Amino acid sequence: MVFAALTLSLALVIDRLWGDPHTPLHPVALFGRFVGWWGRPGRYPVRIQRAVGVFFWAVSACLFAAPFYAVEHYAPALLLVVLAPFLLKAVFAWRSMEEHAASVEAALAGGGLDEGRRTAGMLVSRDTSSLSAEEIRSAAYESVAENLSDSIVAPLFWFAVFAPFGLGLTAAAFYRSVNCMDAMLGYTDDRIRLGWCAARADDLANLVPARLTALIGLVYFGAKGRFAPALQALRADRKKRPGYNGGWPMAVVAGGVGVRFCKRGVYAIGPGDRSLEDGGDDIIASVRGITLIFAVSAIIALFLWA
């Protein structure tokens, strides 16, 4: 477990130093292209789409996790020491989320609403063509808040849970594939049948991490003197966002910072005491703080297990 703790620590350092490389050869990018190949509803008759989705979901998740399992169990010890932190880094994204939010702010500052809408449209699935500046920032920062659980806490949580059984990297990779397939297929449009399994599996995989993220968020904002508004927003707004999990981290961040995440005609989460332009830096700071609290706790737990 000392090795697992060191792997987690080094993976976080690698992320902060280099972030995600912008290359089509990134493992998640390669996986996304594979899912994009089979994840086209028009390829299959409607009556078999759900069965096809279940089959390809299982095949895809196992294929993505297989190289991680092979390295974890068959690589020589010295090679594993070198590769493990980079493999774990490949399945979570921390710095890149901050960079995405910063790119939206830069687009608004340098190119106005049109450029801001275009940049935000690269991050979210909603139509951004008529969004106001506040709605553009909401699309960016609520993506950061939701992905605090999906893209940081959850893969590291599953790594820490399965590391004592020698399956930490495998579990983190399997989770990453599950979350990626949901992001690509888990919608209520023509993909609803093909993506049914992907959406349900992601709901289950994030059930604990999303609530753990919210709990750690209460600890973080409690230390900042903002426990009461964070808890109030969590109680009032966590179920407003469609789905079982995304509203938990979004609500605690919105309440703790005092901003409002809004998707026109769908939800409004948080008190809205501050604008997102004013509160954006505090959102990023809260993501960093919650990530560090979780990571340090997981590292200590792995050391204690050892």
Side-chain angles (χ1 to χ4, degrees), residues 95-176:
R95 175 174 163 174
S96 66
M97 290 199 314
E98 297 180 10
E99 292 172 344
H100 291 323
S103 70
V104 171
E105 288 287 4
L108 284 170
L113 283 177
D114 288 341
E115 186 63 17
R117 289 164 178 162
R118 186 193 68 80
T119 305
M122 298 170 64
L123 306 179
V124 295
S125 59
R126 74 192 65 173
D127 180 12
T128 61
S129 60
S130 63
L131 298 185
S132 66
E134 185 72 359
E135 288 173 320
I136 291 169
R137 289 189 173 92
S138 181
Y141 286 116
E142 69 186 64
S143 178
V144 170
E146 179 184 3
N147 280 291
L148 168 60
S149 173
D150 286 2
S151 295
I152 304 176
V153 172
L156 298 182
F157 170 80
W158 290 117
F159 170 80
V161 167
F162 280 88
F165 309 102
L167 293 169
L169 292 176
T170 306
F174 193 91
Y175 167 79
R176 179 78 276 154

Side-chain angles (χ1 to χ4, degrees), residues 261-279:
F261 297 136
C262 182
K263 184 176 183 180
R264 192 184 302 176
V266 181
Y267 57 75
I269 295 174
D273 301 327
R274 306 168 66 190
S275 71
L276 285 162
E277 183 177 14
D278 177 50

